[in-house]
Coordinates of all heavy atoms in Angstrom, one line a residue:
M837 N 94.3 97.5 67.8 CA 93.5 98.2 68.8 C 93.5 97.4 70.1 O 93.4 96.2 70.1 CB 92.0 98.2 68.2 CG 91.1 98.8 69.2 SD 89.4 98.9 68.7 CE 89.5 100.1 67.4
N838 N 93.7 98.1 71.2 CA 93.7 97.5 72.5 C 92.2 97.2 72.9 O 91.3 97.9 72.4 CB 94.3 98.5 73.5 CG 95.7 98.7 73.4 OD1 96.5 97.7 73.2 ND2 96.2 99.9 73.4
Y839 N 92.1 96.2 73.7 CA 90.7 95.9 74.2 C 90.0 97.0 74.8 O 88.8 97.2 74.6 CB 90.8 94.7 75.1 CG 91.4 95.0 76.5 CD1 90.6 95.4 77.5 CD2 92.8 95.0 76.7 CE1 91.1 95.7 78.8 CE2 93.3 95.3 77.9 CZ 92.5 95.7 78.9 OH 93.1 96.0 80.1
F840 N 90.7 97.9 75.6 CA 90.0 99.0 76.2 C 89.6 100.1 75.2 O 88.6 100.7 75.4 CB 90.8 99.5 77.4 CG 92.2 99.9 77.0 CD1 92.5 101.2 76.5 CD2 93.3 99.1 77.3 CE1 93.8 101.6 76.2 CE2 94.6 99.4 77.0 CZ 94.8 100.7 76.4
E841 N 90.3 100.2 74.1 CA 89.9 101.1 73.1 C 88.6 100.7 72.4 O 87.8 101.5 72.0 CB 91.0 101.3 72.1 CG 92.2 102.0 72.6 CD 93.4 102.0 71.6 OE1 93.6 100.9 70.9 OE2 94.1 103.0 71.6
R842 N 88.5 99.4 72.3 CA 87.3 98.8 71.7 C 86.0 99.1 72.6 O 85.0 99.4 72.0 CB 87.4 97.3 71.5 CG 86.2 96.7 71.0 CD 86.4 95.5 70.1 NE 87.2 95.8 68.9 CZ 87.9 94.9 68.3 NH1 88.0 93.7 68.7 NH2 88.6 95.3 67.3
L843 N 86.2 99.1 73.9 CA 85.1 99.5 74.8 C 84.5 100.9 74.4 O 83.3 101.1 74.4 CB 85.5 99.4 76.2 CG 85.9 98.1 76.8 CD1 86.5 98.3 78.2 CD2 84.6 97.2 76.9
K844 N 85.4 101.8 74.2 CA 85.0 103.2 73.9 C 84.4 103.2 72.5 O 83.4 103.8 72.3 CB 86.2 104.1 74.0 CG 85.8 105.5 73.7 CD 87.0 106.5 73.8 CE 86.6 107.9 73.5 NZ 87.7 108.8 73.6
D845 N 85.1 102.6 71.5 CA 84.6 102.6 70.1 C 83.2 102.1 70.0 O 82.4 102.7 69.3 CB 85.6 101.9 69.2 CG 86.9 102.7 68.9 OD1 86.9 103.9 69.3 OD2 87.8 102.1 68.4
I846 N 83.0 100.9 70.6 CA 81.7 100.3 70.4 C 80.6 101.1 71.1 O 79.5 101.2 70.7 CB 81.7 98.8 70.8 CG1 80.5 98.1 70.2 CG2 81.8 98.6 72.3 CD1 80.5 96.6 70.3
R847 N 81.0 101.6 72.3 CA 80.0 102.5 73.0 C 79.6 103.7 72.2 O 78.4 104.0 72.1 CB 80.6 102.9 74.4 CG 79.7 103.9 75.1 CD 80.3 104.4 76.4 NE 81.5 105.1 76.2 CZ 81.7 106.4 75.7 NH1 80.6 107.1 75.4 NH2 82.9 106.9 75.7
E848 N 80.6 104.3 71.6 CA 80.3 105.5 70.8 C 79.5 105.1 69.5 O 78.6 105.8 69.1 CB 81.5 106.2 70.4 CG 82.2 106.9 71.6 CD 83.5 107.6 71.3 OE1 84.1 107.2 70.3 OE2 83.9 108.4 72.1
D849 N 79.8 103.9 68.9 CA 79.1 103.5 67.7 C 77.7 103.2 68.0 O 76.8 103.4 67.1 CB 79.8 102.2 67.1 CG 81.1 102.5 66.5 OD1 81.4 103.6 66.2 OD2 81.8 101.5 66.2
K850 N 77.4 102.7 69.2 CA 76.0 102.4 69.6 C 75.3 103.6 70.2 O 74.2 103.5 70.7 CB 76.0 101.3 70.6 CG 76.6 100.0 70.1 CD 75.8 99.3 69.0 CE 76.4 98.0 68.6 NZ 75.6 97.3 67.6
D851 N 75.9 104.8 70.2 CA 75.4 106.0 70.7 C 75.0 106.0 72.2 O 74.0 106.5 72.6 CB 74.1 106.5 69.9 CG 74.5 106.9 68.5 OD1 75.6 107.5 68.3 OD2 73.7 106.6 67.5
F852 N 75.9 105.4 73.0 CA 75.7 105.4 74.4 C 76.7 106.4 75.0 O 77.8 106.5 74.5 CB 75.9 104.0 75.1 CG 74.8 103.0 74.8 CD1 74.9 102.0 73.9 CD2 73.6 103.1 75.5 CE1 73.9 101.1 73.7 CE2 72.6 102.2 75.3 CZ 72.7 101.2 74.4
S853 N 76.3 107.0 76.1 CA 77.3 107.9 76.8 C 78.0 107.1 77.9 O 77.5 106.0 78.3 CB 76.6 109.1 77.4 OG 75.7 108.6 78.5
Q854 N 79.0 107.6 78.5 CA 79.6 106.9 79.6 C 78.7 106.8 80.8 O 78.6 105.8 81.5 CB 80.9 107.6 80.0 CG 82.1 107.4 79.1 CD 83.4 108.1 79.6 OE1 83.3 109.0 80.4 NE2 84.5 107.6 79.1
K855 N 77.8 107.8 80.9 CA 76.8 107.9 82.0 C 75.8 106.7 81.8 O 75.4 106.1 82.7 CB 76.1 109.2 82.0 CG 75.1 109.3 83.2 CD 74.5 110.7 83.2 CE 73.4 110.7 84.3 NZ 72.4 111.7 84.1
D856 N 75.4 106.5 80.5 CA 74.5 105.4 80.2 C 75.0 104.1 80.7 O 74.4 103.3 81.3 CB 74.2 105.3 78.7 CG 73.4 106.6 78.2 OD1 72.7 107.2 79.0 OD2 73.6 106.9 77.0
I857 N 76.3 103.9 80.3 CA 77.0 102.6 80.6 C 77.2 102.5 82.2 O 77.0 101.4 82.7 CB 78.3 102.4 79.9 CG1 78.1 102.5 78.4 CG2 79.0 101.2 80.3 CD1 77.1 101.4 77.9
A858 N 77.5 103.6 82.8 CA 77.7 103.5 84.2 C 76.4 103.1 84.9 O 76.4 102.3 85.9 CB 78.2 104.9 84.7
E859 N 75.3 103.7 84.5 CA 74.0 103.3 85.1 C 73.7 101.8 84.9 O 73.2 101.2 85.8 CB 72.9 104.2 84.6 CG 73.0 105.6 85.0 CD 72.0 106.6 84.4 OE1 71.2 106.1 83.6 OE2 72.1 107.8 84.7
L860 N 73.9 101.3 83.7 CA 73.7 99.9 83.4 C 74.5 99.0 84.3 O 74.1 98.0 84.8 CB 74.0 99.6 81.9 CG 73.9 98.2 81.5 CD1 72.5 97.7 81.4 CD2 74.7 97.9 80.3
L861 N 75.8 99.4 84.5 CA 76.7 98.6 85.2 C 76.8 98.9 86.7 O 77.6 98.4 87.5 CB 78.1 98.6 84.6 CG 78.2 98.2 83.2 CD1 79.6 98.3 82.6 CD2 77.7 96.7 83.0
N862 N 75.9 99.8 87.1 CA 75.8 100.2 88.5 C 77.2 100.7 89.1 O 77.7 100.2 90.1 CB 75.3 99.1 89.4 CG 74.8 99.5 90.7 OD1 74.3 100.6 90.9 ND2 74.9 98.7 91.7
T863 N 77.7 101.7 88.3 CA 79.0 102.3 88.7 C 79.0 103.7 88.4 O 77.9 104.3 88.1 CB 80.2 101.5 88.1 OG1 81.4 101.9 88.6 CG2 80.2 101.7 86.6
T864 N 80.1 104.4 88.4 CA 80.2 105.8 88.0 C 80.7 106.0 86.6 O 81.4 105.2 86.0 CB 81.2 106.5 89.0 OG1 82.5 106.0 88.8 CG2 80.7 106.3 90.5
R865 N 80.5 107.2 86.1 CA 81.0 107.6 84.8 C 82.5 107.6 84.8 O 83.2 107.2 83.9 CB 80.5 109.0 84.4 CG 80.9 109.3 82.9 CD 81.0 110.8 82.7 NE 82.0 111.5 83.6 CZ 83.3 111.4 83.5 NH1 83.9 110.8 82.5 NH2 84.1 112.1 84.4
Q866 N 83.1 108.0 86.0 CA 84.6 108.0 86.1 C 85.2 106.6 86.0 O 86.2 106.4 85.4 CB 85.0 108.7 87.5 CG 84.7 110.2 87.5 CD 83.2 110.5 87.9 OE1 82.4 109.6 88.1 NE2 82.9 111.8 88.0
Q867 N 84.5 105.7 86.6 CA 84.9 104.3 86.5 C 84.9 103.8 85.0 O 85.8 103.1 84.6 CB 84.1 103.3 87.4 CG 84.6 101.9 87.4 CD 86.0 101.8 88.0 OE1 86.2 102.2 89.1 NE2 86.9 101.3 87.2
V868 N 83.9 104.1 84.3 CA 83.8 103.7 82.9 C 84.9 104.3 82.1 O 85.6 103.7 81.3 CB 82.4 104.1 82.3 CG1 82.4 103.9 80.8 CG2 81.3 103.4 83.0
S869 N 85.2 105.6 82.4 CA 86.4 106.3 81.8 C 87.7 105.5 82.1 O 88.5 105.3 81.2 CB 86.5 107.7 82.3 OG 87.6 108.3 81.7
K870 N 87.9 105.1 83.3 CA 89.1 104.3 83.6 C 89.2 103.0 82.8 O 90.3 102.6 82.4 CB 89.2 104.0 85.1 CG 89.4 105.3 85.9 CD 89.4 105.0 87.4 CE 89.6 106.3 88.2 NZ 89.5 106.0 89.7
W871 N 88.1 102.3 82.7 CA 88.1 101.1 81.9 C 88.4 101.4 80.4 O 89.1 100.6 79.8 CB 86.7 100.4 81.9 CG 86.3 99.9 83.3 CD1 87.2 99.4 84.3 CD2 85.0 99.7 83.8 NE1 86.5 99.0 85.4 CE2 85.2 99.2 85.1 CE3 83.8 100.0 83.4 CZ2 84.1 98.9 85.9 CZ3 82.7 99.7 84.2 CH2 82.8 99.2 85.4
E872 N 87.8 102.5 79.9 CA 88.1 102.8 78.5 C 89.5 103.3 78.2 O 89.9 103.3 77.0 CB 87.0 103.8 78.0 CG 85.6 103.3 77.9 CD 84.6 104.3 77.5 OE1 84.9 105.5 77.3 OE2 83.5 103.8 77.2
T873 N 90.2 103.8 79.2 CA 91.5 104.2 79.0 C 92.6 103.2 79.4 O 93.8 103.4 79.2 CB 91.8 105.5 79.8 OG1 91.6 105.3 81.2 CG2 90.9 106.7 79.3
G874 N 92.1 102.1 79.9 CA 93.0 101.0 80.4 C 93.6 101.3 81.7 O 94.5 100.5 82.1
A875 N 93.2 102.3 82.4 CA 93.7 102.6 83.7 C 93.3 101.5 84.8 O 94.0 101.3 85.8 CB 93.3 104.0 84.2
Q876 N 92.2 100.9 84.6 CA 91.7 99.8 85.4 C 91.1 98.7 84.6 O 90.6 99.0 83.5 CB 90.7 100.3 86.5 CG 91.3 101.1 87.6 CD 90.4 101.4 88.7 OE1 89.2 101.3 88.5 NE2 90.9 101.8 89.8
K877 N 91.1 97.5 85.1 CA 90.5 96.4 84.5 C 89.0 96.2 84.9 O 88.6 96.6 86.0 CB 91.2 95.1 84.9 CG 92.7 95.1 84.6 CD 93.1 94.9 83.2 CE 94.5 94.7 83.0 NZ 95.2 95.8 82.4
M878 N 88.2 95.7 84.0 CA 86.8 95.5 84.3 C 86.6 94.0 84.5 O 87.2 93.2 83.8 CB 86.0 96.0 83.1 CG 84.5 95.9 83.2 SD 83.6 96.8 82.0 CE 84.2 96.0 80.5
G879 N 85.6 93.7 85.4 CA 85.3 92.3 85.7 C 84.5 91.6 84.6 O 83.8 92.3 83.8
V880 N 84.6 90.3 84.5 CA 84.0 89.5 83.5 C 82.5 89.7 83.5 O 81.8 89.7 82.5 CB 84.4 88.1 83.5 CG1 83.9 87.4 84.8 CG2 84.0 87.3 82.3
D881 N 81.9 89.9 84.7 CA 80.4 90.1 84.8 C 80.0 91.3 84.0 O 78.9 91.3 83.4 CB 80.0 90.1 86.2 CG 80.6 91.2 87.0 OD1 81.8 91.5 86.8 OD2 79.9 91.8 87.9
K882 N 80.8 92.3 84.1 CA 80.4 93.6 83.3 C 80.6 93.4 81.8 O 79.9 93.9 81.0 CB 81.2 94.7 83.9 CG 80.8 95.0 85.4 CD 81.6 96.2 85.9 CE 81.2 96.6 87.3 NZ 80.4 95.6 88.2
Y883 N 81.7 92.6 81.4 CA 81.9 92.4 80.0 C 80.7 91.6 79.5 O 80.2 91.8 78.3 CB 83.1 91.5 79.8 CG 84.4 92.4 79.6 CD1 85.3 92.5 80.6 CD2 84.6 93.1 78.4 CE1 86.5 93.3 80.4 CE2 85.7 93.8 78.2 CZ 86.6 94.0 79.2 OH 87.8 94.7 79.0
I884 N 80.2 90.7 80.2 CA 79.0 89.9 79.8 C 77.8 90.8 79.6 O 77.1 90.7 78.6 CB 78.7 88.7 80.8 CG1 79.8 87.7 80.7 CG2 77.3 88.1 80.5 CD1 79.8 86.7 81.8
K885 N 77.6 91.7 80.5 CA 76.4 92.6 80.3 C 76.6 93.5 79.1 O 75.7 93.7 78.4 CB 76.3 93.5 81.6 CG 75.7 92.8 82.8 CD 75.5 93.8 83.9 CE 74.9 93.1 85.1 NZ 74.7 94.1 86.2
L886 N 77.8 94.0 78.9 CA 78.1 94.8 77.7 C 77.9 94.0 76.4 O 77.4 94.5 75.4 CB 79.5 95.5 77.8 CG 79.6 96.6 78.8 CD1 81.1 97.1 78.8 CD2 78.6 97.7 78.6
A887 N 78.4 92.8 76.4 CA 78.3 91.9 75.2 C 76.8 91.7 74.8 O 76.4 91.8 73.7 CB 79.0 90.6 75.4
K888 N 76.0 91.5 75.9 CA 74.5 91.4 75.6 C 73.9 92.7 75.1 O 73.1 92.7 74.2 CB 73.8 90.9 76.9 CG 74.2 89.5 77.2 CD 73.5 89.1 78.5 CE 73.8 87.6 78.9 NZ 73.1 87.2 80.2
L889 N 74.3 93.8 75.7 CA 73.8 95.1 75.3 C 74.1 95.4 73.9 O 73.3 95.8 73.1 CB 74.3 96.2 76.3 CG 74.0 97.6 75.9 CD1 72.5 97.9 76.1 CD2 74.8 98.6 76.7
Y890 N 75.4 95.2 73.5 CA 75.9 95.5 72.2 C 75.6 94.4 71.2 O 75.8 94.6 70.0 CB 77.4 95.8 72.2 CG 77.8 97.0 73.1 CD1 79.0 96.9 73.8 CD2 77.0 98.1 73.2 CE1 79.4 98.0 74.6 CE2 77.4 99.2 74.0 CZ 78.6 99.1 74.7 OH 79.0 100.2 75.5
N891 N 75.2 93.3 71.7 CA 74.9 92.1 70.8 C 76.2 91.7 70.0 O 76.1 91.5 68.8 CB 73.7 92.3 69.9 CG 73.3 91.0 69.2 OD1 73.4 90.0 69.8 ND2 72.8 91.2 68.0
V892 N 77.3 91.6 70.7 CA 78.5 91.1 70.1 C 79.1 90.1 71.1 O 78.9 90.0 72.2 CB 79.6 92.3 69.9 CG1 79.0 93.3 68.9 CG2 79.9 92.9 71.2
S893 N 80.0 89.2 70.5 CA 80.6 88.2 71.2 C 81.7 88.8 72.2 O 82.3 89.8 71.9 CB 81.3 87.2 70.3 OG 82.3 87.8 69.5
L894 N 82.0 88.0 73.2 CA 83.0 88.4 74.2 C 84.4 88.5 73.5 O 85.2 89.4 73.8 CB 83.1 87.5 75.4 CG 82.0 87.7 76.4 CD1 82.0 86.6 77.4 CD2 82.1 89.1 77.1
D895 N 84.7 87.6 72.6 CA 86.0 87.6 72.0 C 86.2 88.9 71.1 O 87.3 89.4 71.1 CB 86.3 86.3 71.2 CG 85.2 86.0 70.2 OD1 84.2 86.6 70.1 OD2 85.5 85.0 69.4
Y896 N 85.2 89.4 70.6 CA 85.3 90.7 69.9 C 85.4 91.8 70.9 O 86.3 92.7 70.7 CB 84.0 90.9 69.0 CG 84.1 92.3 68.3 CD1 84.9 92.6 67.3 CD2 83.3 93.3 68.8 CE1 85.0 93.8 66.7 CE2 83.3 94.6 68.2 CZ 84.2 94.8 67.2 OH 84.2 96.1 66.6
L897 N 84.6 91.8 71.9 CA 84.7 92.9 72.9 C 86.1 92.9 73.6 O 86.6 94.0 73.9 CB 83.6 92.7 73.9 CG 83.1 93.9 74.7 CD1 82.7 95.0 73.9 CD2 82.0 93.5 75.7
L898 N 86.7 91.8 73.7 CA 88.0 91.7 74.4 C 89.1 91.9 73.4 O 90.3 91.9 73.8 CB 88.1 90.3 75.1 CG 87.2 90.1 76.3 CD1 87.3 88.7 76.7 CD2 87.7 91.0 77.4
G899 N 88.8 92.1 72.1 CA 89.9 92.4 71.2 C 90.6 91.2 70.7 O 91.7 91.3 70.1
L900 N 90.0 90.0 70.9 CA 90.7 88.7 70.4 C 90.4 88.5 68.9 O 91.2 87.8 68.3 CB 90.2 87.5 71.2 CG 90.5 87.6 72.7 CD1 89.8 86.4 73.4 CD2 92.0 87.6 73.0
I901 N 89.3 89.0 68.4 CA 89.1 89.0 67.0 C 88.7 90.4 66.5 O 88.3 91.2 67.4 CB 87.9 88.0 66.6 CG1 86.6 88.4 67.3 CG2 88.3 86.6 67.0 CD1 85.4 87.6 66.8
D902 N 88.8 90.7 65.3 CA 88.6 92.0 64.8 C 87.2 92.2 64.1 O 86.8 93.3 63.8 CB 89.7 92.5 63.8 CG 91.0 92.7 64.6 OD1 90.9 93.1 65.7 OD2 92.1 92.5 64.0
T903 N 86.6 91.1 63.8 CA 85.3 91.1 63.1 C 84.2 90.8 64.1 O 84.2 89.7 64.7 CB 85.2 90.2 61.9 OG1 86.3 90.5 61.1 CG2 83.9 90.3 61.2
P904 N 83.2 91.7 64.4 CA 82.2 91.4 65.4 C 81.3 90.2 65.0 O 81.0 90.0 63.8 CB 81.4 92.7 65.5 CG 81.7 93.4 64.3 CD 83.0 93.0 63.7
R905 N 81.1 89.4 66.0 CA 80.1 88.3 65.8 C 78.9 88.6 66.7 O 79.1 88.9 67.9 CB 80.7 86.9 66.2 CG 81.8 86.5 65.2 CD 82.3 85.1 65.5 NE 82.9 85.0 66.8 CZ 83.4 83.9 67.3 NH1 83.5 82.8 66.5 NH2 84.0 83.9 68.5
K906 N 77.7 88.4 66.1 CA 76.5 88.7 66.9 C 76.3 87.5 67.9 O 76.7 86.4 67.6 CB 75.3 88.9 66.0 CG 75.4 90.2 65.2 CD 74.1 90.4 64.5 CE 74.2 91.6 63.7 NZ 73.9 92.8 64.3
L907 N 75.6 87.8 69.0 CA 75.2 86.7 69.9 C 74.0 86.0 69.3 O 73.2 86.6 68.6 CB 74.9 87.3 71.3 CG 76.0 88.0 72.0 CD1 75.5 88.6 73.3 CD2 77.1 87.0 72.3
K908 N 73.9 84.7 69.7 CA 72.7 84.0 69.2 C 71.6 84.1 70.2 O 71.7 84.3 71.3 CB 73.1 82.5 69.0 CG 74.1 82.3 67.9 CD 74.4 80.9 67.7 CE 75.4 80.8 66.6 NZ 75.7 79.4 66.2

């Protein structure tokens, strides 16, 4: 699984819409879509916000590991 596919999968698993994430990250739904398709890269500051929201480690969110680890 590509890291950007994980962004979409975890968002859907947590029952958030692209609009919800866009509002949290102060961007547009279209920008979230670009991140989830790999058309554009997302900044580390936004990854940190998503990791906190989803309560998962950055290495999981970035696709470096396949088993989610919760944040402490």
Side-chain angles (χ1 to χ4, degrees):
M837 173 180 294
N838 291 315
Y839 68 93
F840 53 84
E841 292 171 321
R842 177 147 301 153
L843 291 173
K844 181 178 179 182
D845 285 347
I846 196 166
R847 175 183 57 77
E848 290 175 342
D849 288 347
K850 301 289 184 176
D851 292 324
F852 286 104
S853 68
Q854 286 183 337
K855 183 179 177 202
D856 295 331
I857 300 304
E859 288 173 2
L860 172 77
L861 299 179
N862 197 30
T863 191
T864 64
R865 188 210 54 80
Q866 291 83 358
Q867 184 63 57
V868 173
S869 177
K870 289 177 183 179
W871 293 330
E872 290 182 351
T873 60
Q876 286 190 342
K877 306 281 189 254
M878 184 169 56
V880 69
D881 58 323
K882 293 180 178 20
Y883 272 105
I884 291 169
K885 284 184 180 182
L886 289 179
K888 289 178 180 178
L889 174 69
Y890 299 143
N891 192 31
V892 295
S893 62
L894 283 171
D895 51 354
Y896 175 74
L897 202 56
L898 292 168
L900 299 174
I901 62 172
D902 291 327
T903 303
R905 292 189 297 186
K906 293 187 182 272
L907 298 177
K908 294 182 179 185

